Amino acid sequence: MDVSHLLDELNEAQREAVTTRSQHTLVLAGAGSGKTRVLIHRLAWLIQVEHVSPLSILAVTFTNKAAGEMRERAQDLLQVSARSMWIGTFHGIAHRILRMHWEEAGLPENFQILDSDDQHRILRRLIKEEGLDEAQWPARQAQWYINARKDEGQRPQSIEDMNNPMTAQWVRIYDTYQAYCDRAGLVDFAELLLRAHELWLNDPTLLDHYQRRLSHLLVDEFQDTNSIQYAWIRMLAGADGSVLVVGDDDQSIYGWRGAQVENVRHFSRDFAGVQTIKLEQNYRSTGTILEAANAVIANNEERMGKKLWTADDKGAPIMLYSAFNEQDEARFVVEQVEQWLAKGRRADEVAIVYRTTAQSRLFEEYLLRASIAYRVYGGQRFFERAEIRDALAYLRLIQNPNDDAAMERVINTPARGIGQKTLSILRLQARESSLPLWQAAQECARQNLLPARALGAVNGFVQLISAMRERMQNWTLGNQVQGLIEESQLVSHYEKEPTEKMESRVENLRELVNAAEAFVIPAEDEDAGMTDLQSFLSHAALEAGETQGEAWDDCVQLMTLHSAKGLEFPMVFIVGMEDGLFPHQRSVTEAGGRLEEERRLCYVGITRAREHLCISHAEVRRMFGSESHCRPSRFLDEIPSGLIEEIRPRMQVQRPWSSPKLPEYRKSSLGSDQDWPFRLGESVSHKKFGIGTVISFEGSGEHARVQVNFNRAGAKWLVLAYANLTST
């Protein structure tokens, strides 16, 4: 296929990025500006026009899904297999390199990838063994500390504690944890990148080989890179490599997990003669939506600057709903969804996005009342489910008996009489002998350190794993998975659970067999000499580390603003736009650019909408058990008023009740009462509590209640028939 002909599909800025002759190029790609198309066409241009070998190009992105799409589109464009190309995630590429050079990296040949859950379990145990109070030294905080240090390229011995005893203790925990992982042949996600970087740093000959081999680097989502990833790119590029990075400093929203927006700004400083190209034409959203996004993000001072525009229509104004409280907000949003569906539109064209996960509950409740299907995006992925993790732990133990995390997970799953007391003896023996648990168990048996019953149970487990390993050596991957599920008796174990949960778990285990049977080992894993089982386990671990959700049904999508990045929908609701909620209170009070990151998050949310955008906020919101009056988000003030159509709550003023008569009140399909004697926000008087404001209604007939926020007595729920409220 003649790639030069395909340049006709690109706009002028995209064409410039694809055909650039500059050694180093920074492509500032605004939301919806076609950055993936640019990357794929650049890759094709290098191969077909500049005659660069496909094996000399490294294309790296952040999710397996994005890497898979990039590989497929490159294959379609080039009409050749992209199987052996270096296209993948940072972690996937690092894993590939470590598999090929495990010995030089100081790793065992059959090292295992440690996922986040197992990392947490190990840290909990190590902290307990060190005699530390987990309330003071939480495993989650230790996990965050260790991963953050690795992302910065720091080993325990290189961290200065500055005579701070707390820092010194965290460093000791890090050191203990790393020593444990090294003994057991375990590598966590952060370690993949750090170990690969150290491999090049400590072996100039190997580094020179990869610098000459991978001479063209293409990096997607550059604004999401952290310190070690940026160091990785700089080291691999060397003096002669060519680097093209695509990113958007306005969409850098992951600072809390180590991403450094500064990398975008520093690229021109750290690489010589960088050409900067801006992609500003948007192919996703209406003119109104883009104008609002531009107006909001313009208030950030630390940005490189660009302005999105579209050749399409201006489109509908942005709806702004000022709800009285969070219930009124949920009611309104769901009514709008009902109207959308009544027009013949699909439910999966609608997204409700919010700043915090806790906000989803009310929307779920109101969607259920309206019988509208929904899904909370970013839910538990297949390889993260407990039954799948159990089966994979058995496989990991068959592959590598020194995998302590796997052994701890399944040594008593199903229950076989190996309790915490027995495990404590095994752990103590492992620690004192500097042995993996597997070998410590055998040592305990030789020295008769366990009671007879426990010894029999431990020996039975060791024999089970050893027998499975021996029998399965020449089995296909599908048969190995099927065999371990049967011989481990996992199905029998889960059949003891309630029917619905049991059926789901058993179905998932069957699906794991299907996944194994359909699995094709990637060329790079084959080249690295990995077995099908090694490759499958690595694939599962890397997939479990993803943050993206799974495929959707035709249902409304609920998600956080962080989860929404990279997605787009015809209809988007951004809810809870109040100061303290969005922007989050932490960003308002903390220094270090947190407020600017919150504004970038708002920009990301706005640019998810293609046709219609609706923003809502509540005047009163109940959070953490108390109600407070809310100020509309400062970001709303940054949207030009001419782009907004304000919608107020439905208000109906009626005479107050004065008798205990219990009439029925009409209710909508959402459960919101329509014919109440007071309106939301109305000022009322009560004989005992004094003056207050109506903030909510619920129920009907004798169960009809009103919630009033009294000036002196606070919020009270009152039965309408007996409250004797009067308007003031």
Side-chain angles (χ1 to χ4, degrees), residues 240-252:
D240 301 321
S242 174
V243 184
L244 182 143
V245 300
V246 180
D248 183 3
D249 58 330
D250 290 335
Q251 293 189 77
S252 180

Side-chain angles (χ1 to χ4, degrees), residues 52-115:
V52 173
S53 166
L55 299 181
S56 296
I57 302 171
L58 174 67
V60 61
T61 186
F62 274 81
T63 68
N64 290 316
K65 180 183 177 184
E69 289 175 354
M70 190 182 295
R71 190 177 291 110
E72 287 177 13
R73 290 176 65 172
Q75 191 166 289
D76 291 342
L77 194 60
L78 293 165
Q79 295 296 299
V80 296
S81 174
R83 190 168 178 232
S84 59
M85 290 184 187
W86 286 74
I87 300 175
T89 64
F90 276 102
H91 292 95
I93 298 294
H95 172 251
R96 178 176 177 177
I97 290 167
L98 293 177
R99 285 294 179 191
M100 295 171 70
H101 304 286
W102 55 270
E103 196 167 14
E104 296 97 320
L107 292 168
E109 185 176 8
N110 59 349
F111 73 85
Q112 295 291 333
I113 300 176
L114 193 65
D115 66 24

Side-chain angles (χ1 to χ4, degrees), residues 672-686:
S672 60
D673 298 289
Q674 296 177 330
D675 293 338
W676 293 91
F678 305 101
R679 59 178 172 81
L680 289 172
E682 184 172 354
S683 179
V684 295
S685 177
H686 185 271

Side-chain angles (χ1 to χ4, degrees), residues 668-721:
S668 72
S669 60
L670 298 181
S672 60
D673 298 289
Q674 296 177 330
D675 293 338
W676 293 91
F678 305 101
R679 59 178 172 81
L680 289 172
E682 184 172 354
S683 179
V684 295
S685 177
H686 185 271
K687 185 176 180 180
K688 178 180 178 182
F689 300 125
I691 304 297
T693 305
V694 176
I695 60 175
S696 188
F697 302 111
E698 73 173 23
S700 62
E702 62 182 13
H703 302 294
R705 299 198 306 162
V706 61
Q707 189 179 27
V708 181
N709 189 23
F710 292 102
N711 298 341
R712 288 184 285 104
K716 303 285 185 184
W717 278 104
L718 305 171
V719 176
L720 267 174

Side-chain angles (χ1 to χ4, degrees), residues 111-127:
F111 73 85
Q112 295 291 333
I113 300 176
L114 193 65
D115 66 24
S116 179
D117 185 65
D118 282 333
Q119 183 186 32
H120 178 251
R121 287 157 63 102
I122 289 170
L123 281 165
R124 282 192 68 183
R125 179 164 68 79
L126 293 176
I127 288 168

Side-chain angles (χ1 to χ4, degrees), residues 358-650:
Q359 290 172 258
S360 74
R361 186 192 64 81
L362 263 181
F363 294 98
E364 292 184 61
E365 182 180 319
Y366 275 75
L367 286 165
L368 281 170
R369 290 186 194 177
S371 300
I372 297 174
Y374 70 89
R375 173 171 292 179
V376 179
Y377 182 74
Q380 198 173 42
R381 295 172 60 83
F382 179 75
F383 286 114
E384 293 174 336
R385 293 166 185 162
E387 61 276 14
I388 300 302
R389 294 169 63 83
D390 288 343
L392 292 174
Y394 271 104
L395 286 171
R396 284 164 49 193
L397 208 53
I398 290 168
Q399 172 64 35
N400 174 20
N402 294 333
D403 187 338
D404 283 6
M407 184 164 174
E408 287 220 18
R409 185 175 187 95
V410 297
I411 192 170
N412 201 42
T413 304
R416 47 178 60 91
I418 302 175
Q420 286 302 314
K421 188 174 180 181
T422 302
L423 262 176
S424 295
I425 296 172
L426 296 182
R427 289 168 182 157
L428 180 63
Q429 181 65 28
R431 192 176 180 189
E432 291 181 346
S433 309
S434 295
L435 293 172
L437 276 177
W438 179 266
Q439 295 179 37
Q442 296 171 319
E443 192 64 29
C444 285
R446 277 194 291 270
Q447 296 186 35
N448 222 18
L449 300 177
L450 294 170
R453 186 173 178 181
L455 181 61
V458 170
N459 281 337
F461 176 74
V462 169
Q463 290 166 11
L464 171 68
I465 300 299
S466 299
M468 283 197 288
R469 184 186 305 113
E470 187 173 341
R471 276 199 303 276
M472 294 180 184
Q473 279 182 354
N474 299 315
W475 289 9
T476 65
L477 180 60
N479 286 341
Q480 285 179 312
V481 177
Q482 181 68 52
L484 90 85
I485 289 173
E486 291 175 357
E487 296 194 30
S488 66
Q489 299 184 339
L490 280 176
V491 172
S492 300
H493 168 64
Y494 286 122
E495 282 177 343
K496 298 172 186 175
E497 295 189 346
T499 303
E500 186 177 346
K501 185 177 286 188
M502 176 272 291
E503 289 176 351
S504 175
R505 293 196 191 279
V506 173
E507 286 172 3
N508 286 335
L509 288 172
R510 291 193 186 115
E511 183 56 32
L512 183 64
V513 176
N514 294 338
E517 288 175 343
F519 181 74
V520 177
I521 183 170
E524 58 266 26
D525 289 0
E526 208 164 25
D527 293 343
M530 294 173 66
T531 64
D532 286 359
L533 179 55
Q534 284 178 319
S535 180
F536 182 68
L537 289 171
S538 297
H539 163 75
L542 291 168
E543 279 288 322
E546 294 271 318
T547 57
Q548 295 277 15
E550 295 180 18
W552 304 337
D553 300 322
D554 181 19
C555 53
V556 173
Q557 307 300 314
L558 276 66
M559 65 189 71
T560 64
L561 283 149
H562 284 97
S563 297
K565 185 172 178 292
L567 305 175
E568 57 183 76
F569 303 89
M571 180 74 198
V572 171
F573 295 89
I574 303 178
V575 300
M577 286 286 285
E578 299 133 33
D579 265 8
L581 186 56
F582 188 36
H584 198 279
Q585 186 60 39
R586 288 195 304 269
S587 71
V588 177
T589 57
E590 292 181 16
R594 292 293 296 271
L595 183 58
E596 290 215 346
E597 182 160 317
E598 287 286 295
R599 187 174 281 109
R600 293 195 292 268
L601 190 58
C602 183
Y603 173 83
V604 166
I606 292 171
T607 54
R608 298 312 94 196
R610 293 196 338 228
E611 302 171 22
H612 298 277
L613 174 64
C614 179
I615 298 174
S616 63
H617 66 93
E619 296 175 15
V620 177
R621 185 175 296 274
R622 172 176 284 273
M623 295 187 72
F624 310 114
S626 63
E627 289 174 334
S628 58
H629 289 269
C630 308
R631 179 188 181 279
S633 171
R634 64 193 66 193
F635 300 150
L636 292 178
D637 295 334
E638 298 170 357
I639 300 175
S641 58
L643 304 177
I644 292 175
E645 176 189 352
E646 289 199 58
I647 302 172
R648 301 299 301 176
R650 183 173 55 238

